[in-house]
Amino acid sequence: MAFEPYVRTQMLDPKPAPVTSVGPAGWLKRNLFDGPGNSVLTLVTMVAIFLLLAHLLPWMFLSVWNADSLAECRQIIDETYGLDHSGACWAVIHDRFFQLVYGFYPSELYWRPNLTFVLMLVALAPVLFTHLPRKMMIFSALFPFIGAWLLWGGSIWTPLAALAGFALGGAAYRYGSAVNGILAIAAAVLVPVIWWIFLMGPIARGLHAVIPLGIEVVESNQFGGFMVSIVIGITAITLSLPLGIMLALGRQTNLFIVRAFSVGFIEFIRGVPLITLLFVASTLLNYFMPPGTNFDLVVRVIIMATLFSSAYIAEVIRGGLAALPKGQYEAADSLGLDYWQAQRLIIMPQALKIAIPGIVSTFIGLFKDTTLVSIIGILDPIGLSNAIRADNAWNGIYWELFVFIGFVFFIFCFSMSRYSMYLERKLNTGHR
């Protein structure tokens, strides 16, 4: 018996995908119920979340926002929701909100930290988002001096004199590079330091005596709350990245003195707890300054936090440099690039791209570690929460303050994490 071969003469119409593989049902199957084990874990997790929310949501939302004391707050809760209900007393946040944000900063001068925060966002924008005009980077470079003057106040000549130190350092490097590269780097460091320590103060005071321009002075002991955490955290994060890059490069250089200093600095800082450095900043650092120098405590803490973070950033970046294949260095040499051109154009961009998760993790840890300053007498949100709870009106309140403080820190840290993910996606040049 002869069989005739089957020859297809037309295409079959496509059939719809199975209901369990597309849409919400498909997502549930892939992510929550993909097999017996995952299904059991999903159900157990859902029950745990339900039990947690069943207790947490009534406590959070069946609460009181307006009261003058914890006793009044509990009385309102008992009268409104019954004696067996324990609701949150958010009235403490309503009552002490400005103190938690600004500390003891004069209320009539709140516009200064508010303006500083807005200007900070403007200054960070061209650094974080490259599609913005590059000319905005000029304002980003000037903002630290503007922000410090707005927060601390005083003579306008002080930030201008501090800015002049960088100009003198640039001039020293320019003229010194014509003689010797190492001499130029040393001059670029020493000239600004000498200017800032010995000359800046007298010259700024002299100019202010001739042309008195300034705003009301606010001492750093009036700083507090989230304002001081943001000032210390953002400043230390901004300064520690370039310093960490220089330390990472210094650790890999062939120059013995530079390499030895970089290695010694990194290993010493990483071997000392941050709280120890903060105690050094609060007690010992003034002994190394000229007699009569009034070195602001917040500035001392910023310096120590920057040094601490830069050591960890250096190691993270060193890991990124070590992950690059040797061919990248050879490619830079084949193009005839010198050391700094190769680092700027080829090596460092790739190393930073690899190190982005570690860098952001270090920044997040540093921002959360700003709460340690309460131990040396700076009233950050944690320190203020202790002071608020010491008040007879709010004695005995705990969870509401810590939940609010944790929520605000979460917003900042989560924003940094999301920006890290955005930057990784933007710089992802690989093929998957």
Side-chain angles (χ1 to χ4, degrees):
M1 182 177 180
F3 294 94
E4 295 183 0
Y6 172 77
V7 178
R8 184 172 61 187
T9 59
Q10 61 182 5
M11 297 294 295
L12 298 177
D13 295 331
K15 294 182 179 180
V19 177
T20 58
S21 64
V22 294
W27 184 90
L28 290 173
K29 181 179 180 181
R30 289 192 305 271
N31 296 278
L32 301 179
F33 299 98
D34 186 16
N38 286 345
S39 300
V40 172
L41 289 176
T42 298
L43 293 175
V44 172
T45 304
M46 291 175 66
V47 171
I49 293 175
F50 173 78
L51 295 176
L52 177 64
L53 294 180
H55 292 80
L56 183 62
L57 293 181
W59 178 82
M60 290 181 61
F61 295 104
L62 300 180
S63 54
V64 175
W65 279 94
N66 292 296
D68 295 326
S69 66
L70 180 60
E72 181 183 353
C73 192
R74 288 175 175 172
Q75 180 181 358
I76 295 174
I77 291 175
D78 292 341
E79 294 175 353
T80 307
Y81 305 109
L83 297 177
D84 58 341
H85 179 74
S86 63
C89 184
W90 300 117
V92 65
I93 307 301
H94 182 268
D95 185 52
R96 299 299 182 95
F97 176 79
F98 291 104
Q99 187 178 6
L100 287 169
V101 174
Y102 302 102
F104 301 100
Y105 208 86
S107 58
E108 67 275 9
L109 300 179
Y110 282 168
W111 65 269
R112 282 163 51 175
N114 292 340
L115 179 60
T116 303
F117 183 75
V118 173
L119 294 179
M120 181 193 72
L121 297 179
V122 175
L124 289 176
V127 179
L128 301 178
F129 304 101
T130 56
H131 63 274
L132 295 175
R134 293 294 89 191
K135 291 183 179 180
M136 292 180 63
M137 294 292 290
I138 299 175
F139 177 76
S140 301
L142 296 176
F143 169 74
F145 307 95
I146 300 172
W149 179 64
L150 284 173
L151 289 176
W152 276 272
S155 173
I156 187 63
W157 299 110
T158 301
L160 292 178
L163 182 61
F166 289 96
L168 291 173
Y173 178 81
R174 179 180 178 183
Y175 291 108
S177 59
V179 180
N180 182 275
I182 301 298
L183 178 63
I185 296 176
V189 174
L190 291 177
V191 170
V193 170
I194 294 173
W195 167 264
W196 291 326
I197 294 178
F198 299 104
L199 300 175
M200 185 183 79
I203 291 177
R205 287 191 293 268
L207 290 172
H208 185 71
V210 177
I211 308 176
L213 295 175
I215 56 179
E216 182 181 345
V217 175
V218 178
E219 300 293 338
S220 62
N221 57 12
Q222 296 179 277
F223 285 29
F226 290 105
M227 184 187 73
V228 76
S229 296
I230 293 173
V231 169
I232 295 174
I234 298 300
T235 305
I237 286 171
T238 305
L239 296 177
S240 64
L241 180 59
L243 185 57
I245 292 174
M246 297 305 297
L247 288 171
L249 295 177
R251 184 159 189 164
Q252 294 189 330
T253 186
N254 294 325
L255 301 174
F256 174 77
I257 296 178
V258 177
R259 185 175 68 252
F261 172 79
S262 300
V263 172
F265 176 86
I266 292 171
E267 296 303 329
F268 173 76
I269 294 296
R270 292 175 69 225
V272 177
L274 177 58
I275 188 61
T276 304
L277 297 178
L278 294 179
F279 276 118
V280 170
S282 64
T283 57
L284 300 179
L285 203 58
N286 261 348
Y287 291 107
F288 297 95
M289 305 304 297
T293 302
N294 184 17
F295 202 177
D296 190 276
L297 178 59
V298 174
V299 176
R300 283 181 271 162
V301 170
I302 289 174
I303 292 174
M304 287 302 178
T306 300
L307 297 179
F308 181 82
S309 178
S310 63
Y312 284 86
I313 291 295
E315 287 300 281
V316 172
I317 294 175
R318 187 170 71 92
L321 292 171
L324 289 182
K326 187 178 179 181
Q328 297 297 314
Y329 296 88
E330 296 173 347
D333 294 337
S334 67
L335 292 174
L337 302 178
D338 61 24
Y339 177 80
W340 292 110
Q341 289 174 331
Q343 292 294 337
R344 181 171 62 88
L345 299 175
I346 295 179
I347 306 302
M348 194 52 64
Q350 297 183 74
L352 291 176
K353 172 187 170 183
I354 296 172
I356 284 175
I359 291 174
V360 176
S361 295
T362 304
F363 286 165
I364 291 175
L366 173 63
F367 186 74
K368 292 187 294 184
D369 285 344
T370 57
T371 56
L372 294 175
V373 300
S374 61
I375 299 177
I376 60 173
I378 298 178
L379 293 180
D380 73 315
I382 299 297
L384 282 174
S385 70
N386 296 330
I388 292 171
R389 289 188 292 110
D391 188 345
N392 289 331
W394 300 109
N395 188 11
I397 196 164
Y398 293 95
W399 287 105
E400 292 83 348
L401 287 168
F402 294 132
V403 167
F404 175 73
I405 293 171
F407 176 72
V408 175
F409 271 96
F410 171 78
I411 291 175
F412 281 96
C413 296
F414 183 73
S415 300
M416 286 189 276
S417 175
R418 298 305 298 180
Y419 175 77
S420 170
M421 297 174 64
Y422 156 78
L423 200 58
E424 289 182 58
R425 291 193 300 268
K426 179 181 178 181
L427 300 177
N428 182 24
T429 56
H431 299 283
R432 295 183 178 179

